[in-house]
Amino acid sequence: MASNNLSLPYHILKRDNYQSWSIKMKSHLKAYKLWEVIETDYAHIPLPQNTTLLQIKKYDENRAKTPKALSCIHSAVSEEVFLVIMSCKSPKEAWEMLK
């Protein structure tokens, strides 16, 4: 049975490769449907009353996108670069700092 999980290697950001890294990382995040949280700094809207199971599932999936995207960025930078962005609370904030 085929798995739906993607397993793509990270390209590591160092001091001198931001241009190529950012293109590769953007594609990587898009493949995982995580780029939107960097573009929009996704805000979580509370669930309405009388929600369906499908709405709850979608809500949980959307809430998980922010830490997933931030984790991807953390995993794709050198230790030296990580020290610069480690205090960032959102993936958008980290991405902007890396620019």
Side-chain angles (χ1 to χ4, degrees):
M1 183 162 118
S3 172
N4 288 338
N5 294 332
L6 294 174
S7 180
L8 302 174
Y10 288 108
H11 300 278
I12 303 300
L13 174 63
K14 298 175 184 155
R15 288 182 153 207
D16 60 351
N17 66 336
Y18 176 79
Q19 290 297 84
S20 62
W21 175 87
S22 66
I23 292 167
K24 293 173 184 178
M25 194 63 190
K26 185 175 179 179
S27 295
H28 183 87
L29 291 166
K30 283 183 175 183
Y32 283 101
K33 299 180 182 177
L34 297 172
W35 180 246
E36 67 190 33
V37 298
I38 292 174
E39 284 186 315
T40 62
D41 209 9
Y42 188 78
H44 302 290
I45 301 167
L47 277 171
Q49 298 264 336
N50 302 321
T51 56
T52 65
L53 288 176
L54 185 59
Q55 288 172 317
I56 293 170
K57 181 179 178 186
K58 183 69 173 168
Y59 176 81
D60 288 343
E61 288 172 1
N62 285 336
R63 281 192 53 129
K65 286 182 178 183
T66 298
K68 282 181 183 178
L70 188 56
S71 177
C72 286
I73 292 171
H74 286 167
S75 298
V77 298
S78 68
E79 189 65 27
E80 178 182 16
V81 174
F82 174 74
L83 294 174
V84 174
I85 64 166
M86 69 184 199
S87 64
C88 295
K89 301 295 182 207
S90 75
K92 182 177 180 74
E93 181 184 0
W95 190 272
E96 292 297 321
M97 188 172 283
L98 292 171
K99 280 184 181 178

